[in-house]
């Protein structure tokens, strides 16, 4: 029976990146994915993911983001394809709200370039937006979006070229520490490894029941619409945006229309609501989207972008895996330094995949990382 240095369970956003960094370093690595790579059942589908640096969630993420930006660039060069699109990001919200306060704090602490936009200037610079007069407007020029499916494919392809073994349509069923080796049973085979990395996203509680209390999975809805004037909203003419809604606890966000011929579908202007949705179980997700869910989202977005959603083209579901404080968990398993988990990305993790993969590889091979991930430890909830 084959003995691997490292087995990575879940070759999605974080797992594909971990396989890449491990294989590049010459490690004998096996990646096991229950579906195809990529797929639409987890957390990474849907064409685009925002990347930004003035991190309102917590300034401690900024050093990780610096490294993430660096690593995405390196991946682009190695894969020979564009993964990151610098559109800039428009932020709006009440000046003392969680978004605007957090952005200003991170920008100040880490000297991140953020432009303050006056309402008079916003009307000419961002004519398709209607921002309430009591909202503050900021713009982060170096922010933009990543194409998640292409990122995951690039990591996986380069991992395989560097010697990784990647199995798809194979599910981890159980694992067990047996002396110095971990025994892994999948739906197809039995393997052994020295280190196990668990990057199973919304299925993490099934693989590591010890984390069940800390992880809750929610069903999120994303909608693509057709605007009144197509060109006003296309890539190059329209930024990514994030607006802290005054009436509700979450934030609305969106992207420009991406050229289907270059990037693939879905077609149209994408928008969504960043707030934990209906609780669900990753194995039993209701993928049917009700007309009310679509119309409520579009009605809210139209307050800020009145002509963006003349009609709805398509809606899809996606999964968040939330921790109680909405910060990630990246750590060894309590009482087992041979098992490493990266989970609970709480709807804002994709942009970090390039640094998380590197960190996971270091934790598996060296038992430590130089990246400041202490605040993401798994024991903080006790
Ligand atoms: C609607 C939506 C919008 C988002 N927007 C943004 C954004 O703008 N910016 C941003 O940075 N982040 C965003 N995110 C968050 C980001 O996409 C996630 O945090 C990230 O994809 C999580 O990565 P993951 O590797 O944990 O999960 P996934 O990418 O889902 O990977 C987990 C993988 O593990 C596999 N797996 C699970 N169990 C097993 C098993 N037993 N055996 C084998 N394989 C298994 C799954 O099939 C899956 O492929 C968004 C998420 C959603 C849903």
């Amino acid at each position: 029976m084959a003995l691997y240095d490292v087995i990575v369970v879940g070759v999605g956003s974080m797992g594909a990146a971990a396989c890449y960094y491990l294989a590049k370093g010459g490690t004998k690595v096996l990646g096991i994915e229950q579906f195809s790579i990529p797929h639409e059942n987890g957390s990474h589908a849907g064409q685009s993911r925002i990347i930004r640096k003035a991190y309102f969630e917590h300034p401690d993420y900024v050093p990780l983001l610096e490294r993430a930006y660096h690593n995405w660039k390196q991946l682009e060069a190695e894969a020979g394809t564009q993964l990151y699109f610098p559109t800039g990001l428009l932020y709006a919200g009440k000046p003392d709200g969680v978004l605007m306060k957090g952005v200003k704090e991170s920008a100040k602490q880490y000297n991140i370039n953020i432009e303050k936009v006056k309402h008079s200037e916003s009307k000419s610079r961002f004519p398709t937006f209607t921002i309430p007069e009591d909202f503050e407007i900021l713009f982060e020029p170096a922010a933009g979006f990543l194409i998640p499916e292409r990122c995951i494919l690039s990591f996986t392809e380069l991992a395989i070229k560097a010697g990784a073994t990647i199995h798809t349509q194979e599910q981890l069923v159980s694992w067990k520490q047996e002396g110095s080796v971990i025994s892994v049973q999948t739906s197809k085979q039995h393997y052994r490894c020295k280190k196990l990395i668990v990057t199973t996203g919304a299925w993490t509680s099934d693989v590591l029941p010890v984390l069940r209390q800390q992880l809750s999975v929610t069903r999120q809805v994303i909608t693509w619409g057709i605007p009144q004037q197509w060109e006003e909203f296309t890539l190059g003419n329209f930024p990514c945006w994030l607006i802290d809604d005054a009436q509700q606890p979450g934030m609305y966000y969106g992207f420009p229309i991406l050229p289907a011929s270059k990037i693939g579908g879905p077609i149209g202007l994408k928008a969504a609501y960043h707030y934990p949705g209906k609780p669900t179980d990753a194995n039993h997700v209701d993928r049917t989207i009700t007309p009310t869910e679509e119309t409520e989202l579009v009605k809210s977005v139209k307050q800020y972008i009145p002509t963006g959603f003349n009609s709805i083209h398509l809606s899809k579901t996606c999964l968040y895996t939330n921790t109680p404080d909405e910060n990630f968990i990246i750590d060894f398993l309590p009482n087992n330094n041979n098992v490493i988990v990266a989970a609970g990305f709480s709807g804002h993790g994709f942009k970090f995949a390039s640094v998380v993969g590197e960190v996971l590889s270091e934790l598996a091979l060296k038992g430590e990382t130089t990246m400041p991930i202490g605040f993401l430890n798994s024991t903080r909830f006790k």
Side-chain angles (χ1 to χ4, degrees), residues 13-36:
S13 321
M14 309 301 159
C19 289
Y20 164 80
Y21 284 101
L22 287 162
K24 235 172 88 150
T27 307
K28 188 174 176 192
V29 56
L30 168 66
I32 301 171
E33 169 54 48
Q34 63 182 349
F35 300 121
S36 55

Side-chain angles (χ1 to χ4, degrees), residues 9-15 32-36 39 41-45 48-52 55 152 170-173 199-204 207 220-222 253 255 270 272 317-321 328 342-352:
V9 197
V11 188
S13 321
M14 309 301 159
I32 301 171
E33 169 54 48
Q34 63 182 349
F35 300 121
S36 55
H39 63 85
N41 305 321
S43 301
H44 56 252
S48 48
R49 291 290 185 269
I50 290 177
I51 177 163
R52 52 193 160 83
Y55 222 61
I152 291 172
E170 183 169 344
Q171 187 181 43
L172 176 128
V173 175
T199 45
T200 43
W203 290 264
T204 302
V207 178
Q220 309 297 134
V221 175
I222 327 164
Y253 66 94
F255 302 81
K270 176 180 164 185
T317 54
C318 189
L319 302 176
Y320 278 7
T321 309
F328 318 152
F345 288 93
S346 306
H348 61 110
F350 192 84
K351 62 185 84 58
F352 294 89

Side-chain angles (χ1 to χ4, degrees), residues 151-187:
C151 293
I152 291 172
L153 280 172
S154 298
F155 273 136
T156 308
E157 182 180 53
L158 292 171
I160 292 170
K161 280 164 83 175
T165 305
I166 305 285
H167 290 178
T168 58
Q169 314 293 350
E170 183 169 344
Q171 187 181 43
L172 176 128
V173 175
S174 62
W175 64 272
K176 201 170 164 196
Q177 182 79 51
E178 287 175 345
S180 60
V181 166
I182 297 169
S183 144
V184 168
Q185 181 65 51
T186 73
S187 50

